[in-house]
Amino acid sequence: MTQPYPFEAPASADLFDRGRKVIPGGVNSPVRAFRSVGGTPRFMTSAQGPWLTDADGRRYVDLISSWGPMILGHAHPDVLEAVTATAARGFSFGTPSENEVALAEEIVARVDPVEAVRLVNSGTEATMSALRLARGFTGRSVVVKFAGNYHGHVDALLAHAGSGVATFALPDSAGVPASAAGETIVLPYNDLAAVEAVFAERGDEIAAVITEACPGNMGVVPPLPGFTDGLRRVTREHGALLISDEVMTGFRVSKAGWYGHENATTPYSFGAPDLFTFGKVMGGGFPAAAFGGRRDVMDHLAPEGPVYQAGTLSGNPVASAAGLATLRACDDDLYTRLKATAGTIAQATSEALSAAGVPHRVQFAESMFSVFFTAADVDETHVAGDVSDPVIDYDGAQRQDTAAFGRFFHAMLSRGVHLPPSAYECWFVSGAHDDEAINVVLDALPHAARAAAEG
Ligand SMILES: *Cc1c(COP(=O)(O)O)cnc(C)c1O
């Protein structure tokens, strides 16, 4: 499946033209438009296992995995069976139903500090609702977030966010009132001294600190040892809540997400976060997300308490069935396999880039990883081909050669590998990535690395 580069995609181009007439930018989420890599986004018509098929009939190995949810691969038989059997009994009741209880039970069983959850429809809704709950619980209004951390397109959290906001280098979004942004304090990630300084000054106004459990929206930037624990200590000292956003890491990096992984390797001495947010994997490819945590905090939600939160389709039976079937297949075996696949692809990528003399750095959170095309001038002691310095914050992540990534991306695409179309995103593997799919990636890498080098 080798195509000349750049290659034509006439059916996708036609669909993109049609889309642009009726949808801003032709897409329903900005990063899909390929703006940072250029060219025509591929419109997919089907997906199976590790493969995507586009409107022109070309196949690609999928390293987006729908940004995480397709952890088992596309159209996994267990999930398909659960979805079709459930849908045959009706799509939405507007009343409670068993599937949502079963999905909530599964989440509570997996993540120890989560005693209760509420289901919502997107990660954005989860973080928005968790913030409202934290403000309602504490009676305070200020929220602390970290630069390069993305929590969905919640007004108060769009300041210095990662993901699409990083891709487009938007400092903030237009349309966010100063009053909303004014209640948000943005600090550098992994800088506990900055957190302590802000709390020393304004601790009694701060409702919550929200952090990505392990950031993945500016590339993978793990918390330094003690950072998460330090956030727990400082928030507790000042009566603020700690919200761990596991929308990306939840049920992907381990059975119990980043919490399960980090607490197992370096136990938290000051306790667990108060609230967690989940999405992506737990919906199995359908719109389902959740927030949850301490029982006494969660009981502030309506109808038990005074914090209002609701949703017409929340806990949808079909979405809940997809999520539950997905989580039930996420066993120890799967996580072992995901890590091995990620390791193979990441190592081959690094070797290919080194051979072509492209400075870079690969960072991991278990099976989540990203490749920073870190510019050679990060540190003049590094020569081209060296692995660059660790990236620990947003400033470091932004020192990337995004043009080199664009060339790399298109060379991979032309050889049948669909990477996330941005240098700031993780590469996501699935349990369905078999030898055939992995070999397509390995074969493409040396060509793509040379394309990246030809700046
Ligand atoms: C994807 C993501 C969100 C937003 O979820 P949506 O379902 O896109 O609204 C929030 N937080 C993190 C950490 C994410 O990765």
Side-chain angles (χ1 to χ4, degrees), residues 54-311:
D54 76 6
D56 291 286
R58 285 204 185 86
R59 260 189 359 152
Y60 304 86
V61 176
D62 182 13
L63 290 179
I64 304 179
S65 296
S66 193
W67 306 97
M70 307 322 299
I71 193 166
L72 306 177
H74 294 280
H76 187 281
D78 294 358
V79 183
L80 191 58
E81 156 71 27
V83 166
T84 50
T86 306
R89 294 194 297 269
F91 306 151
S92 180
F93 306 134
T95 69
S97 67
E98 183 176 353
N99 286 1
E100 56 199 294
V101 176
L103 180 57
E105 284 170 345
E106 180 74 24
I107 295 169
V108 167
R110 281 173 173 253
V111 190
D112 268 351
V114 175
E115 297 172 315
V117 292
R118 173 143 300 164
L119 302 183
V120 294
N121 304 284
S122 71
T124 296
E125 247 187 278
T127 59
M128 179 188 82
S129 305
L131 277 195
R132 183 182 307 138
L133 177 58
R135 285 166 162 163
F137 182 80
T138 59
R140 302 172 179 178
S141 60
V142 175
V143 171
V144 173
K145 82 174 284 284
F146 297 102
N149 280 216
Y150 179 67
H151 304 291
H153 60 98
V154 179
D155 275 355
L157 299 176
L158 270 179
H160 300 276
S163 194
V165 187
T167 306
F168 299 115
L170 303 173
D172 292 296
S173 168
V176 174
S179 55
E183 302 280 25
T184 306
I185 297 173
V186 184
L187 297 178
Y189 189 65
N190 267 327
D191 187 344
L192 198 55
V195 177
E196 283 176 330
V198 152
F199 269 93
E201 203 175 312
R202 301 184 64 180
D204 58 352
E205 298 169 63
I206 299 171
V209 171
I210 185 166
T211 184
E212 279 192 60
C214 169
N217 282 292
M218 52 175 155
V220 173
V221 179
L224 292 172
F227 182 68
T228 312
D229 211 20
L231 294 180
R232 174 69 289 181
R233 175 177 55 75
V234 176
T235 47
R236 176 159 299 157
E237 280 166 10
H238 291 271
L241 299 189
L242 178 60
I243 304 171
S244 181
D245 183 351
E246 294 237 29
V247 170
M248 183 181 284
T249 49
F251 320 113
R252 171 156 283 272
V253 302
S254 87
K255 260 180 154 165
W258 183 261
Y259 170 81
H261 168 68
E262 193 173 39
N263 191 44
T265 45
T266 43
Y268 297 141
S269 40
F270 296 96
D274 302 289
L275 292 176
F276 293 79
T277 53
F278 304 105
K280 298 195 168 100
V281 170
M282 62 154 282
F286 284 77
F291 64 104
R294 266 169 57 186
R295 179 96 226 178
D296 62 322
V297 179
M298 290 302 286
D299 280 348
H300 276 60
L301 282 177
E304 293 287 331
V307 178
Y308 191 70
Q309 191 282 331

Side-chain angles (χ1 to χ4, degrees), residues 214 220 222 258 339 342-343 346-347 362-370:
C214 169
V220 173
W258 183 261
K339 224 177 139 175
Q347 188 183 339
V362 180
Q363 296 192 169
F364 288 93
E366 296 296 287
S367 76
M368 253 167 62
F369 68 100
S370 71

